[in-house]
Amino acid sequence: MTTLAVVHAGLGSPSSSELLAGRLAGVVSARLPGAEVRTVHLRDLARDVADNLVTGFPGPRLRAAVEDVVGADGLIAVTPTFNASYSGLFKSFVDVLEPGSLVGKPVLLGATGGTERHSLVLDHALRPLFAYLRAVVVPTGVYAASSDWGAEGLPARVERAGGELADLLAGRPAAAGPEVDFVPFDRLLAER
């Protein structure tokens, strides 16, 4: 049976990060029948994470959350965007993980924010963090701004990213993307 850990650092209840994480997990679990999904709400572990950073010892709830993440076959990680990067709570939880604990683990990245201008958080903050941890990050990450909720493009991005993680976990080859009409540069110049 495939296990999927879903970590989100949303501060509200519910939060847009929690909603995005749930939608991503829904796609993956629909494509992997019988998959067990374990969700880690970092909001509920904030004090445990802070205590661990000060003492160096995780309490029972934090230890269980870390075991869920490290022991899972795949991971969905979603954070709200603060100051053009991941939240401090999200990064503090990642800092609790032992070095090497995510090596080779398939990961789908997501982030939320108030404006589209922070969408680069996926490629300029999250992707380098998980590359450093040597996780295998799927090509499509999902950023959801406030204006994306209820908009046309978000469900397609969620479906694509969730499908990529599901395919990776199932050992299936990646699905082909849409056909692209490629025109060689020299032909474009000739047609001018």
Side-chain angles (χ1 to χ4, degrees), residues 19-20 22-28 31 108 140-164:
L19 295 172
L20 179 58
R23 287 187 183 186
L24 292 167
V27 170
V28 175
R31 293 189 182 199
L108 187 155
T140 303
V142 180
Y143 179 83
S146 297
S147 61
D148 286 323
W149 297 100
E152 197 173 301
L154 183 60
R157 294 195 316 266
V158 167
E159 192 69 32
R160 179 177 176 179
E164 289 173 356

Side-chain angles (χ1 to χ4, degrees), residues 66 69-75 94 97-107 129-137 168-169:
V66 168
V69 170
V70 171
D73 297 309
L75 172 64
V94 171
L97 302 175
E98 290 293 322
S101 62
L102 297 183
V103 172
K105 187 172 302 295
V107 178
L129 174 64
F130 282 88
Y132 174 79
L133 298 170
R134 298 191 333 237
V136 177
V137 179
L168 189 58
L169 289 170

Side-chain angles (χ1 to χ4, degrees), residues 29-45:
S29 59
R31 293 189 182 199
L32 296 173
E36 181 182 343
V37 178
R38 299 175 184 161
T39 303
V40 177
H41 304 271
L42 293 181
R43 175 184 189 265
D44 299 339
L45 297 171

